[in-house]
Amino acid sequence: MDRLKCTFESRESTTVQPVSRKLFNIMSAKQSNLCVAADVTKSAELLSLAEKVGPYICLLKTHIDILSDFSTEVVEELKNIAVKHNFLIFEDRKFGDIGNTVATQYSGGPFNIVDWADLVTVHGLPGDGVIKGLGSCASGQPRGCIIVSQMSSSGTLTSDEYIKGCCKMAEENAHFVIGFVAQSNISKDPRFIVFTPGVQSGCTSDVLGQQYVTPRAAVLERGADVVIVGRGITKSDDPCSAAKHYKEEAFKAYQERITS
Ligand code: 6AU
């Protein structure tokens, strides 16, 4: 079974990981493989964006530490919006330390991420202690992580050897790892979901090294399952219509991929 050729629906049964199963289910039900990167700095903006794009997304990605007015209420509200519109919450924390440290960062501090984020990102650099550390905090709640295996930024150090190491780490920790952040088809395994950032139509880069491809190229040429779109939606005059547009483009490309 090749990941690129299977429906999201059929991939649900290839895994017992609870967050992957839920995400495959949402992607099939909503016909959406769009994740919005909600990189905004005010709680009200985050909640308003989540309400606007909620109907079109399978996932909302946060960088919770960029909120200048974080409170526990904002994550409570966000959880309610996620239930209302049937999407999952993904905190892009990029944990990258020893297991003991990431465990305390995940389940403590001001953000208590384990309490509200279905998914988080980790770097593979420390070795799989980072995954085991996070896994030790889940205490029966459905939680998972995504390994940032290949980056979208120019000059990234994510070599082929590094990517292979991340894939091995995922295979050995598949009870907690649901997939990869990547820019290419790094795994054929239908259990694992490939999330691709650096997606925007009509723009190829920003001034700080970000590199973009279109949603169609991400899905058809690079093997993305889920496209992650930030400023292409958040900076648009009408984030609601932009989200609808990206959702339709990305899902159409995925349907073409599985049937071609
Ligand atoms: O569409 P943008 O450029 O406004 O936002 C892209 C989002 C940002 C980045 O932190 C994130 O995607 N990202 C990641 C992730 C998701 O881990 C990895 C990467 O290689 N490139 C990247 O842009 O929130």
Side-chain angles (χ1 to χ4, degrees):
M1 215 177 174
D2 179 356
R3 177 182 70 81
L4 292 180
K5 293 290 170 194
C6 310
T7 62
F8 296 138
E9 199 176 8
S10 68
R11 287 167 65 184
E12 190 182 335
S13 60
T14 63
T15 177
V16 292
Q17 212 294 336
V19 189
S20 306
R21 289 182 64 93
K22 210 164 162 186
L23 187 54
F24 279 132
N25 188 278
I26 293 174
M27 288 159 83
S28 315
K30 290 178 80 174
Q31 304 217 319
S32 172
N33 54 341
L34 173 66
C35 169
V36 167
D39 293 343
V40 294
T41 55
K42 289 271 189 283
S43 300
E45 265 181 285
L46 175 63
L47 298 176
S48 149
L49 180 68
E51 272 290 359
K52 282 186 196 144
V53 303
Y56 308 110
I57 60 176
C58 59
L59 265 181
L60 187 85
K61 188 176 86 62
T62 55
H63 277 301
I64 209 69
D65 57 352
I66 66 175
L67 284 185
S68 58
D69 57 352
F70 173 81
S71 64
T72 49
E73 286 77 46
V74 71
V75 285
E76 284 308 314
E77 285 284 314
L78 192 59
K79 281 202 279 187
N80 291 337
I81 298 171
V83 170
K84 177 173 156 195
H85 292 297
N86 194 25
F87 62 78
L88 298 184
I89 305 174
F90 162 17
E91 164 56 21
D92 188 8
R93 173 64 179 73
K94 296 189 178 71
F95 290 102
D97 213 319
I98 59 166
N100 183 62
T101 301
V102 299
T104 52
Q105 290 171 321
Y106 186 38
S107 61
F111 305 124
N112 196 17
I113 295 166
V114 69
D115 183 51
W116 53 270
D118 302 286
L119 291 166
V120 292
T121 36
V122 304
H123 282 301
L125 187 71
D128 72 359
V130 64
I131 299 163
K132 293 186 164 47
L134 298 181
S136 72
C137 303
S139 30
Q141 303 172 93
R143 295 290 179 260
C145 78
I146 300 165
I147 307 181
V148 180
S149 309
Q150 189 179 30
M151 292 200 69
S152 60
S153 39
S154 67
T156 175
L157 300 179
T158 52
S159 63
D160 289 350
E161 201 62 24
Y162 183 79
I163 294 167
K164 270 191 213 135
C166 291
C167 291
K168 184 162 178 278
M169 215 178 276
E171 275 149 30
E172 290 169 357
N173 294 275
H175 61 287
F176 200 71
V177 178
I178 79 149
F180 310 97
V181 167
Q183 292 294 316
S184 60
N185 179 22
I186 67 169
S187 171
K188 288 195 183 317
D189 192 328
R191 283 178 302 174
F192 295 129
I193 304 171
V194 174
F195 301 83
T196 301
V199 174
Q200 194 172 156
S201 307
C203 177
T204 56
S205 61
D206 72 8
V207 293
L208 295 173
Q210 174 69 300
Q211 305 175 109
Y212 292 112
V213 295
T214 63
R216 202 175 157 74
V219 173
L220 287 169
E221 292 163 26
R222 301 200 167 199
D225 289 318
V226 174
V227 297
I228 299 178
V229 182
R231 285 164 286 179
I233 290 173
T234 58
K235 298 284 185 209
S236 124
D237 293 338
D238 181 355
C240 178
S241 313
K244 184 165 183 280
H245 167 77
Y246 278 100
K247 172 209 183 247
E248 284 166 1
E249 284 285 291
F251 203 78
K252 196 167 77 186
Y254 147 76
Q255 283 175 315
E256 267 179 57
R257 188 179 81 195
I258 57 168
T259 52
S260 68

